[in-house]
Amino acid sequence: MTVFLLLLLLLGLTRTTTHAAVDSSRSIQIMNESGRRVVVHWINPDTGEMVLQSDPDVLNGASMDLNSFVGHTFEVRELPAKKTGFCAGEDETCRVDHFTVNSNVDQVLFIREGITVEHSDSKTIALKSASKLLDDCKSIAKRQLSKNENADVDAAASILEELTVCVQKGIAKEIEMANDEITFQAEIRKKMADSWENYTCADDAVNATEPKKEGANWRGRKVSVMIDRPASKIHTIQNFLSPDECRAVEEAARPRLHDATVADGSGGSHKSDSRKAKQAGIKVDWKGEARGDPIARLSRRVYDYVNHVLPFDIRENGQEDLMSIQYFGRGPDDETPDRYMPHCDGDCTGLDFKPGNRMATIVMYCEMPKAGGATNFRNSGVHIKPKQYSATFFSYVDPETMKMDDGFTEHSGCPVVEGEK
């Protein structure tokens, strides 16, 4: 089967439950938003030795995952600019900051401009949420007190402040407990998703997931809604593309097919260990749209559908090329079948959207294999067995908050056993 992929960008725009000893291991995500390259070292508490953790550095706008333990301390150090050989600190010195892993969960470190580290975790998020709620209530109460001329405003304000501190602690505790429960449930869900992924891919007789909502039409095409969350939407659209559009894309891709690659985080790409397939990038001839070029016509339909679902008015300028991907089945005994392992097309961290990153994908199917080749969204429990000429749309950003999906659109392509996909 030939699969066409169009990934769209938006430009310019708890605690861990244990059964025995307390688990002091923590997973930390580091986000470099400093405008500079940095390196991250662990500081050995016994010897003071600096042990490199980044590989070898963290580029501006990039992120890195770190597995460590409560109480471990790290150094973040600015690297000299490649062009000038100098850092941006005073007297061109390289700026440094430090952070220590705390006992909270969901720890994210933001390296801000000036090489200052901002530490965010479950407790600080809960405290900020409580402060926001109480600030609103406090303002309303103060306005009411000021209207009463007979009240001792200073005394009332003092009492109100004490009340605020007391309630703030209580609300923060409640929110933290809720976050603990959410984290616990998410861990269970992800562990179950691993087993579910293996089961659904291994048994080709497994039925496709029933949609949450069915029967809607878009330009005469049947749309099934599989997931409809603010930051995670999954739709299937029947008869999304035509046989002549498939032929046009296949012909354009044929001389460009090569082993699948993935982005390497620094603007380049490398051969993929997670995706075994052939792929080809296809530039859309938008000038040919007026004369009915089938690839331009199909691509325009993609943008129209995305803008039908999301309120961003996405334009074709600056977007990624249309991608043709081909998977080949070599029988049930193939130990390394063509497939695509679970992954996210955009950030699936639940953090803020970064301008210029991906925000939606449409996968279009021209040919279907005899066995295998389903599309899985394992964290959402969605198993899609696509039909010829259909499409799967999914978006991974909340248009209201501009927060990214938290893993519900992580997806995979099950191994192709027989035929082509």
Side-chain angles (χ1 to χ4, degrees):
M1 172 178 85
T2 303
V3 177
F4 304 143
L5 209 64
L6 196 54
L7 306 107
L8 302 180
L9 318 176
L10 182 57
L11 302 175
L13 287 177
T14 118
R15 72 178 169 263
T16 304
T17 302
T18 56
H19 299 285
V22 175
D23 182 9
S24 65
S25 63
R26 293 292 182 270
S27 297
I28 302 107
Q29 186 171 37
I30 299 174
M31 315 288 289
N32 184 10
E33 300 178 355
S34 66
R36 311 287 296 183
R37 290 186 306 136
V38 299
V39 289
V40 179
H41 288 89
W42 170 60
I43 304 175
N44 189 311
D46 298 322
T47 65
E49 178 186 6
M50 306 283 285
V51 182
L52 182 66
Q53 302 296 302
S54 47
D55 185 24
D57 52 32
V58 185
L59 300 174
N60 176 50
S63 63
M64 68 170 283
D65 295 322
L66 184 67
N67 295 315
S68 186
F69 296 88
V70 174
H72 281 204
T73 299
F74 296 83
E75 179 189 88
V76 177
R77 179 176 292 272
E78 178 186 14
L79 288 177
K82 290 184 178 181
K83 290 185 178 180
T84 65
F86 300 109
C87 289
E90 187 175 353
D91 297 326
E92 300 177 337
T93 57
C94 294
R95 295 163 292 184
V96 174
D97 202 358
H98 299 84
F99 68 90
T100 300
V101 179
N102 62 37
S103 60
N104 301 330
V105 298
D106 298 332
Q107 295 184 51
V108 181
L109 281 298
F110 295 91
I111 306 171
R112 304 296 192 188
E113 188 174 355
I115 315 301
T116 59
V117 176
E118 179 182 310
H119 202 146
S120 175
D121 54 55
S122 58
K123 286 189 176 180
T124 59
I125 291 171
L127 186 59
K128 286 180 180 178
S129 297
S131 297
K132 173 68 169 61
L133 291 170
L134 287 169
D135 282 345
D136 293 340
C137 296
K138 188 175 179 181
S139 297
I140 294 171
K142 280 188 173 181
R143 286 197 298 271
Q144 294 299 324
L145 285 170
S146 66
K147 293 178 181 178
N148 189 342
E149 297 179 355
N150 297 321
D152 185 338
V153 176
D154 290 339
S158 177
I159 295 172
L160 179 61
E161 192 66 34
E162 292 179 10
L163 177 63
T164 298
V165 172
C166 178
V167 176
Q168 183 175 5
K169 289 181 180 179
I171 293 177
K173 183 65 176 178
E174 290 296 322
I175 294 176
E176 185 186 352
M177 290 174 63
N179 283 341
D180 286 344
E181 180 63 22
I182 291 170
T183 299
F184 174 68
Q185 296 290 347
E187 289 175 355
I188 293 176
R189 172 174 56 83
K190 289 179 179 179
K191 288 179 181 178
M192 292 175 63
D194 289 335
S195 299
W196 186 86
E197 166 83 9
N198 294 331
Y199 167 69
T200 52
C201 281
D203 188 354
D204 198 52
V206 172
N207 293 327
T209 304
E210 291 294 324
K212 303 294 183 185
K213 189 189 303 180
E214 196 169 29
N217 278 278
W218 180 76
R219 296 183 180 177
R221 296 171 172 86
K222 180 181 176 182
V223 176
S224 298
V225 177
M226 313 303 292
I227 293 291
D228 189 18
R229 297 170 57 87
S232 320
K233 299 182 186 298
I234 305 172
H235 300 176
T236 61
I237 312 108
Q238 302 304 319
N239 300 310
F240 188 82
L241 67 171
S242 64
D244 67 308
E245 289 166 346
C246 280
R247 285 192 295 271
V249 176
E250 289 172 342
E251 289 172 5
R254 191 172 294 113
R256 299 181 177 88
L257 285 173
H258 59 274
D259 289 336
T261 58
V262 294
D264 62 9
S266 61
S269 61
H270 60 82
K271 190 172 179 179
S272 173
D273 294 326
S274 59
R275 174 195 280 172
K276 187 180 178 189
K278 297 289 184 181
Q279 71 178 39
I282 302 169
K283 291 191 176 297
V284 179
D285 179 16
W286 289 108
K287 294 181 180 179
E289 183 177 10
R291 63 175 183 271
D293 179 84
I295 296 178
R297 182 177 67 228
L298 171 62
S299 299
R300 179 62 63 198
R301 191 178 306 128
V302 168
Y303 288 103
D304 287 349
Y305 189 79
V306 172
N307 290 325
H308 164 70
V309 179
L310 301 176
F312 292 134
D313 191 24
I314 299 297
R315 306 296 178 88
E316 65 270 18
N317 311 89
Q319 302 295 332
E320 294 183 47
D321 293 339
L322 183 70
M323 183 70 68
S324 174
I325 306 171
Q326 295 186 9
Y327 301 83
F328 300 92
R330 290 175 289 273
D333 297 326
D334 186 6
E335 294 183 357
T336 57
D338 285 10
R339 68 178 304 174
Y340 203 172
M341 300 297 288
H343 66 285
C344 297
D345 283 352
D347 289 340
C348 53
T349 58
L351 298 176
D352 290 337
F353 172 78
K354 296 178 182 177
N357 280 9
R358 294 169 175 170
M359 40 71 67
T361 302
I362 284 193
V363 184
M364 298 164 276
Y365 311 87
C366 280
E367 298 175 19
M368 297 307 303
K370 295 178 180 178
T375 299
N376 267 350
F377 294 84
R378 62 179 186 174
N379 291 330
S380 297
V382 174
H383 179 67
I384 296 174
K385 301 178 82 169
K387 297 179 180 179
Q388 190 175 29
Y389 307 132
S390 69
T392 298
F393 161 88
F394 50 101
S395 59
Y396 24 91
V397 64
D398 183 342
E400 294 293 328
T401 65
M402 295 308 290
K403 296 286 187 183
M404 298 300 290
D405 168 48
D406 195 19
F408 290 97
T409 59
E410 180 189 80
H411 58 286
S412 64
C414 290
V416 173
V417 180
E418 295 183 18
E420 296 181 10
K421 169 183 173 182

